[in-house]
Amino acid sequence: AGSFLLQETTPMKARAIVLLDLDYFYCQVEMLRNGLPAERPVAVTQKFLVVTCNYPARSSGVAKLMRTTEAVARCPDLRLIAGEDLTPYREASDEAMQALRAFGPVQRVGLDEFFIDVTAVAEARASAGAWAPGTHVHTAAQGTTTAEALARTGTAYRPMDLRAASSGSGGSNSGGGSSNKSGSDSRSGSGGGSSGSSSGSSSSG
């Protein structure tokens, strides 16, 4: 029920697909369940390892797959929460998936990652002229990664980004796009960080 296939047609219709990765997902779930403030360093553990942590913990040097003893040594105020029981994370993932269906068909890649086909919403916004002034929408007929590789432009520009054009310059081709660390990012796996594309499923928050 949560998957979909994009059928090729002739001519092929361009689709708008969004990858949403919920940042430090297990940790966010536990912070909400336990009523913890955003500034409190928190890490979710399985056995003796940190599987994900929030940004206050990361700023103190805590990292994914770090031993809990080392994590506490680096961040004495760290709140450790056992995450062996995946039930709360599965339930939160289901809630997120239901909310995302308002924007189009959803395919779950992992507990914290989803593909959303937002073609209909994007077309409606485009028809209504609802894009913000100066927004640059890059399209690639052969897919974002492949098209960029074939172009061999030698820039850090990521075609999957919606970029606001610089005043008078038509946009910037440097900097590799922007990364939003407030709640989600695009990457493979889980627990934070960023990369251009994602595949497979997430096994930890």
Side-chain angles (χ1 to χ4, degrees):
S3 63
F4 65 92
L5 295 176
L6 299 181
Q7 300 294 334
E8 293 188 5
T9 59
T10 305
M12 183 181 294
K13 179 180 179 181
R15 313 294 296 177
I17 309 297
V18 171
L19 169 61
L20 177 68
D21 185 341
L22 300 175
D23 205 7
Y24 58 97
F25 176 60
Y26 288 10
C27 202
Q28 287 201 66
V29 172
E30 295 297 350
M31 291 172 70
L32 290 172
R33 292 179 67 210
N34 292 277
L36 299 174
E39 64 273 12
R40 176 67 189 271
V42 179
V44 175
T45 65
Q46 291 178 353
K47 305 300 182 184
F48 54 87
L49 294 176
V50 171
V51 295
T52 187
C53 58
N54 62 2
Y55 286 96
R58 296 178 197 184
S59 67
S60 297
V62 180
K64 185 175 180 179
L65 300 183
M66 178 179 288
R67 288 179 176 269
T68 55
T69 52
E70 182 181 354
V72 172
R74 294 192 179 195
C75 183
D77 294 332
L78 184 65
R79 169 77 179 270
L80 298 178
I81 301 177
E84 279 85 0
D85 182 6
L86 301 183
T87 302
Y89 314 133
R90 293 186 178 116
E91 292 175 348
S93 180
D94 289 342
E95 291 180 14
M97 189 166 185
Q98 289 299 325
L100 292 173
R101 283 185 173 135
F103 301 97
V106 180
Q107 177 179 348
R108 178 157 42 198
V109 184
L111 290 179
D112 61 348
E113 285 187 280
F114 308 86
F115 282 111
I116 310 105
D117 184 347
V118 297
T119 305
V121 174
E123 289 178 340
R125 288 180 65 87
S127 298
W131 293 115
T135 298
H136 168 69
V137 181
H138 182 99
T139 60
Q142 299 183 21
T144 55
T145 301
T146 302
E148 186 176 45
L150 290 176
R152 298 184 182 278
T153 58
T155 71
Y157 179 72
R158 300 189 303 165
M160 69 287 291
D161 290 338
L162 289 179
R163 310 283 292 281
S166 299
S167 177
S169 65
S172 171
N173 283 347
S174 64
S178 60
S179 177
N180 180 359
K181 289 296 183 181
S182 62
S184 65
D185 59 30
S186 296
R187 67 172 302 241
S188 175
S190 54
S194 178
S195 67
S197 61
S198 175
S199 61
S201 62
S202 300
S203 60
S204 62

